[in-house]
Amino acid sequence: EVRGARDVVASGTVEVPADKPLKLHVECLLPSSEYEYSFSLACGASASGTFRTLPESGPVRMAVLSCAKYNAGHFIAYRHLARRNDVDLVLHLGDYIYETANRPPGSQTPGMGIGRDFEPDGECSTFEDYDRRYRQYRMDPDLQALHRSHAMWATVDDHEFADNCWSEGSSEHEEGRDGPWISRYRAALAAWHRWMPTLRGGSGSDQIVWARIDCGEVLSIALLDLRSHRRIGRGADSTTLGDAQRAMLIETVSASRSAWRCVASPVLFTPLADPSLGPGSANALKTLKLGSKAGPDPDGWAGFPVERSHVLDEIAASGLRTFVVSGDSHVALHLRAPLS
């Protein structure tokens, strides 16, 4: 049941197989309106939820989230965001879950021992593993409150699959232990589509995660997936976008008629490493996973300089107002001077 202005605008009955998620497409919703919804089941009624539809004009206020490691802390930020009533849209830029084990390899950060051990205990590699991990996350009361309070558009980063992954593998994936990469990738993506609030579809490895979101005349958002289509090569042969997604991004930043354009990137767009900063700063950035021993972080956009320059050229040529929001970084930075 969906309510707007105290009027029932949609209701109905649907039979859902026990092993399938319930996802509904509701039409006839008005812009800039708040709606309430709930479900009645054989075992009782669900708690009600609310969301706001996007405005056609006027300001858009969005919240940007990323990187929620269940065994490393409590989801207090989710709790506070759920209490706000002035948010039109929540963007989750990936690492909604972490696939890692409670006792991860030395290349990853261990849990904090706060009584929130991962389920399953080991690293996720099968559909059942990822499904169980999402189920554990969704039992968290603060995450439940967030989803009950706001609409969310989400994308993926690496930990929905495996650490530092690309289209053909991951730095932590071992076929002898984890099986073929494509099987693991499809299992992880199927679990993501099952649990996340999205109607984006497809089948197998062709399921689309990236999307363009148009908020009337105010804002157009290019919500990116920088893992599924990532190919490591040399120069122009390297891509983190793939052809179809790159075309969508370029069209959004160069031809959208909205007042503003937003590039929603799961990883940092601006490289923070600078040779002039000296070895101390370089080591600090490496410790924070914002750089490497050789310089910029190769896992971010800095690892794809030709494609990044192409996107920047298109933004500059358009003369339109564009900004970038990025996830992946686990630190707060105070910049004394603007980055070049």
Side-chain angles (χ1 to χ4, degrees):
E1 190 173 276
V2 184
R3 298 181 182 276
R6 298 185 179 180
D7 296 321
V8 177
V9 298
S11 63
T13 302
V14 61
E15 183 176 341
V16 183
D19 61 341
K20 299 292 184 181
L22 174 60
K23 295 194 177 185
L24 303 175
H25 180 72
V26 180
E27 298 180 343
C28 305
L29 302 182
L30 300 175
S32 301
S33 300
E34 184 172 310
Y35 291 88
E36 180 182 350
Y37 63 92
S38 62
F39 301 96
S40 297
L41 311 172
C43 58
S46 73
S48 62
T50 60
F51 65 91
R52 291 188 61 82
T53 51
L54 296 175
E56 289 184 327
S57 59
V60 175
R61 175 166 290 186
M62 62 183 182
V64 180
L65 305 169
S66 70
C67 305
K69 195 172 186 181
Y70 186 92
N71 72 350
H74 296 274
F75 294 163
I76 298 171
Y78 289 168
R79 183 192 314 167
H80 286 282
L81 178 55
R83 293 172 179 169
R84 298 189 62 143
N85 59 6
D86 59 348
V87 174
D88 298 299
L89 174 66
V90 172
L91 288 180
H92 202 295
L93 298 185
D95 292 348
Y96 181 96
I97 67 162
Y98 275 66
E99 88 302 344
T100 188
N102 278 307
R103 288 166 291 281
S107 58
Q108 297 187 44
T109 307
M112 299 300 293
I114 55 174
R116 283 167 64 92
D117 284 358
F118 277 139
E119 296 178 10
D121 182 73
E123 184 165 326
C124 299
S125 60
T126 68
F127 174 79
E128 290 74 20
D129 292 340
Y130 288 104
D131 185 67
R132 187 175 172 189
R133 189 65 57 87
Y134 278 101
R135 187 181 300 274
Q136 179 186 38
Y137 268 66
R138 286 302 187 91
M139 292 298 291
D140 183 272
D142 295 323
L143 183 53
Q144 289 181 1
L146 173 63
H147 281 293
R148 283 199 307 267
S149 302
H150 301 297
M152 177 186 288
W153 281 77
T155 185
V156 296
D157 194 24
D158 54 343
H159 288 291
E160 280 84 359
F161 306 102
D163 193 26
N164 295 331
C165 66
W166 63 95
S167 61
E168 297 180 354
S170 155
S171 63
E172 302 296 340
H173 181 80
E174 298 178 12
E175 292 219 348
R177 179 193 64 193
D178 304 315
W181 170 254
I182 188 61
S183 298
R184 183 177 183 178
Y185 169 80
R186 288 174 175 172
L189 193 58
W192 185 85
H193 275 279
R194 178 176 187 177
W195 284 97
M196 298 305 290
T198 173
L199 290 174
R200 285 163 280 176
S203 60
S205 57
D206 295 325
Q207 296 182 81
I208 299 300
V209 175
W210 54 266
R212 173 169 164 172
I213 310 167
D214 288 311
C215 306
E217 62 188 32
V218 182
L219 178 67
S220 291
I221 304 171
L223 181 62
L224 305 180
D225 167 11
L226 302 180
R227 299 291 176 175
S228 302
H229 313 282
R230 178 175 290 202
R231 185 178 67 248
I232 310 299
R234 290 188 176 183
D237 292 333
S238 285
T239 178
T240 193
L241 292 167
D243 294 340
Q245 184 176 204
R246 186 189 307 110
M248 179 277 293
L249 172 57
I250 297 305
E251 197 279 333
T252 301
V253 301
S254 62
S256 169
R257 296 185 179 181
S258 300
W260 288 90
R261 277 136 296 281
C262 170
V263 178
S265 170
V267 298
L268 287 175
F269 189 80
T270 300
L272 298 182
D274 186 336
S276 66
L277 295 177
S281 295
N283 289 333
L285 289 172
K286 181 176 180 295
T287 301
L288 296 172
K289 298 183 178 180
L290 298 174
S292 69
K293 187 175 181 180
D297 176 19
D299 196 48
W301 276 90
F304 304 87
V306 174
E307 193 164 55
R308 180 178 180 275
S309 294
H310 178 50
V311 173
L312 284 173
D313 289 345
E314 292 287 347
I315 293 173
S318 72
L320 302 174
R321 292 180 291 184
T322 300
F323 64 96
V324 178
V325 292
S326 300
D328 196 46
S329 176
H330 298 189
V331 298
L333 301 175
H334 176 221
L335 303 178
R336 296 184 177 180
L339 293 169
S340 59

